Amino acid sequence: MTSTRREHARDQAVRAAVEQGLLSAAEPVVALLDTAGIRASAAALTSAFAAVTDAPVLHAFAVKACPLVPVLRLLHEAGLGVEVASPGELALARAAGVPPARTVLDSPAKTPAELRQALALGIAVNADNLQELARIDALVASAPTASPLGVRVNPQVGAGTIGALSTATATSKFGVALRDPGAREAVVQAYLDRPWLTRLHTHTGSQGIPLALMAQGVREAYELAEEINTKAGRQQIDTVDIGGGLPVNFASDEETPTHAEYAALLASTVPGLLDGRYALVTEFGRSLLAKHGTVLARVEYTKTSGGRPIAVTHAGVQVATRTVYAPESWPLRILGYDSEGRPRTGEPLVQDVAGPACFAGDLLCTGQALPLLRPGDIVAVPDTGAYYFAHHYAYNSLPRPAVHGFTPTDAGGVAFTTVRRAQTLDEIVAESGGEHPDALVRQPLRESVPGAPMEP
């Protein structure tokens, strides 16, 4: 999808959202998803890997990037599977109709119940560590399973520019650290002792990780797979899960790097992985969704403080948590529109765009050059389709915004469909203990006794 097409689709959607009342004084913040753009990204990912290998590839969308059931259903219909990392994410995937055979479970803290459920369903499981593998041993011995099973390894190839998202550092909490003394030998032996271990998993990191470092991590996993297969005297490992993590360009509408560029780099860096002997699993998330989401918010007030214009809007930390708390790592662009949804024009003026939360750091941007915003105008925050409005942060008990998908119509308009309705105030009260207002002030009916059930 070209940046021009993306910009045109967004401008149309903003105008239509105002005209159709999705964004209003009553609902001053809303999120939009470009469904045609999502389909295009899924197709581009599939074709990128088909161009470099004839082996089967399961593209498992990382549910954490956008845990919305209709999004998972859309991607499933586009041919993708899912990667889940909690019981909640698995429940979302099942609600979306994604079959167990196209589901992968990753997590550094799987409980026995989670593992038991996954093995009963036939979901692929990547053990994070050797203690977990021992737990799986007992479960496999007690009940047959169709689940493909593997181990996650940490190649310890280094960090990117965002430490919190770098998962292949020397001290990462994920996987078995291959360069620690004796660790590689222990992993090899674990496979030789368990003929049913047929997968190997690695993931170098996410935003801020250069493509070359990602490819290096994949190469380390491939070389380990080759070593294990050689020592086993057969191709015991038949599938390598290379994770995801393709970074996203937040500076413009250009989509760079692309999945095709990454696939081509893998073809040149790890050609043996793509020669048809190994099936692949990928776990991309942000790179599939980010460019196709936009948050819209009304400007409620404008002011000047210390000579700096400030536009106070209804979108802040509740939808852009990472940007508010770590703006250097997660800068966002802000686009201005007038009250009717037309792009705001005029001489750019350096200004801040603030959110509604009651702390000074609740800012979508500082010192960004925009045409001067006015009360009633609209700010659009592009590139927010992943890890933004789907991960609500309930500061000040601000409600979750509605999410709508949009597609162009044959008549040149825009059609919307509700992905998630806005949270109501009654729902906020209910999830905040509203059913038990006297729980802490009433006298207990009797003194608690260890092991006895509590009074309702």
Side-chain angles (χ1 to χ4, degrees):
M1 178 184 295
T2 66
S3 59
T4 301
R5 185 269 171 199
R6 184 174 294 112
E7 182 179 358
H8 176 69
R10 182 176 56 235
D11 286 350
Q12 278 192 310
V14 174
R15 184 72 180 270
V18 175
E19 293 175 345
Q20 298 182 36
L22 301 183
L23 183 72
S24 64
E27 288 216 26
V29 58
V30 70
L32 306 180
L33 282 168
D34 182 349
T35 56
I38 295 172
R39 287 193 181 96
S41 281
L45 170 60
T46 302
S47 62
F49 277 79
V52 297
T53 183
D54 294 327
V57 182
L58 171 63
H59 296 292
F61 173 71
V63 172
K64 56 185 168 288
C66 192
L68 297 171
V69 170
V71 170
L72 305 183
R73 173 65 69 87
L74 174 64
L75 291 171
H76 170 52
E77 295 292 332
L80 274 60
V82 292
E83 181 263 344
V84 300
S86 72
E89 289 184 356
L90 176 56
L92 296 176
R94 299 191 73 189
V98 183
R102 299 186 67 77
T103 303
V104 179
L105 173 62
D106 293 319
S107 165
K110 306 180 196 73
T111 66
E114 289 176 64
L115 290 169
R116 193 174 296 110
Q117 179 188 27
L119 296 181
L121 291 172
I123 290 169
V125 176
N126 291 315
D128 180 78
N129 54 72
L130 298 181
Q131 290 177 5
E132 182 182 334
L133 187 56
R135 182 175 286 177
I136 292 174
D137 284 342
L139 293 172
V140 169
S142 65
T145 179
S147 292
L149 300 171
V151 175
R152 177 171 181 169
V153 295
N154 171 13
Q156 295 175 293
V157 292
T161 59
I162 304 175
L165 297 187
S166 299
T167 57
T169 61
T171 57
S172 171
K173 73 176 188 178
F174 292 102
V176 180
L178 284 182
R179 299 184 184 182
D180 281 13
R184 188 183 188 96
E185 294 78 8
V187 170
V188 172
Q189 192 60 49
Y191 276 84
L192 298 180
D193 292 342
R194 298 168 177 84
W196 41 265
L197 278 180
T198 60
R199 291 190 171 190
L200 187 66
H201 173 44
T202 193
H203 175 66
T204 299
S206 187
Q207 191 69 17
I209 303 295
L211 296 193
L213 192 64
M214 292 172 60
Q216 183 182 350
V218 172
R219 184 177 62 213
E220 295 277 346
Y222 163 73
E223 290 174 352
L224 177 60
E226 292 280 274
E227 178 181 346
I228 292 169
N229 286 343
T230 297
K231 291 184 176 178
R234 63 187 181 91
Q235 186 164 357
Q236 177 174 338
I237 295 177
D238 58 25
T239 302
V240 178
D241 183 336
I242 66 172
L246 191 72
V248 168
N249 164 35
F250 288 96
S252 75
D253 282 319
E254 293 293 331
E255 191 168 350
T256 179
T258 66
H259 293 107
E261 290 169 344
Y262 180 47
L265 178 61
L266 289 176
S268 62
T269 305
V270 202
L273 180 65
L274 305 175
D275 64 10
R277 290 177 296 131
Y278 291 96
L280 297 179
V281 176
T282 73
E283 299 176 358
F284 296 104
R286 179 182 292 105
S287 57
L288 284 164
L289 263 292
K291 286 291 180 185
H292 309 304
T294 303
V295 171
L296 304 182
R298 282 171 51 92
V299 176
E300 196 66 45
Y301 301 110
T302 57
K303 62 178 74 173
T304 300
S305 183
R308 176 74 61 80
I310 303 171
V312 181
T313 79
H314 290 274
V317 71
Q318 85 276 31
V319 293
T321 314
R322 281 176 167 172
T323 292
V324 168
Y325 285 124
E328 296 82 9
S329 297
W330 300 101
L332 288 171
R333 293 178 293 143
I334 306 296
L335 308 174
Y337 294 80
D338 67 19
S339 60
E340 295 182 1
R342 298 170 300 199
R344 170 63 72 190
T345 59
E347 190 69 24
L349 183 67
V350 172
Q351 54 198 296
D352 296 349
V353 178
C358 288
F359 70 99
D362 187 28
L363 299 164
L364 290 176
C365 71
T366 58
Q368 197 165 135
L370 298 163
L372 185 63
L373 296 168
R374 303 165 188 171
D377 277 0
I378 298 161
V379 296
V381 192
D383 306 333
T384 48
Y387 296 102
Y388 278 90
F389 50 75
H391 298 72
H392 186 69
Y393 178 46
Y395 200 102
N396 284 146
S397 295
L398 293 165
R400 288 187 293 271
V403 180
H404 301 281
F406 69 88
T407 54
T409 65
D410 294 338
V414 176
F416 292 99
T417 184
T418 299
V419 173
R420 182 189 69 195
R421 60 175 175 77
Q423 187 181 29
T424 67
L425 297 183
D426 286 344
E427 289 169 335
I428 292 175
V429 172
E431 71 177 27
S432 300
E435 296 179 359
H436 311 284
D438 297 327
L440 301 179
V441 297
R442 67 188 179 193
Q443 287 290 104
L445 295 181
R446 60 184 172 84
E447 186 177 350
S448 64
V449 177
M454 293 184 64
E455 292 291 337

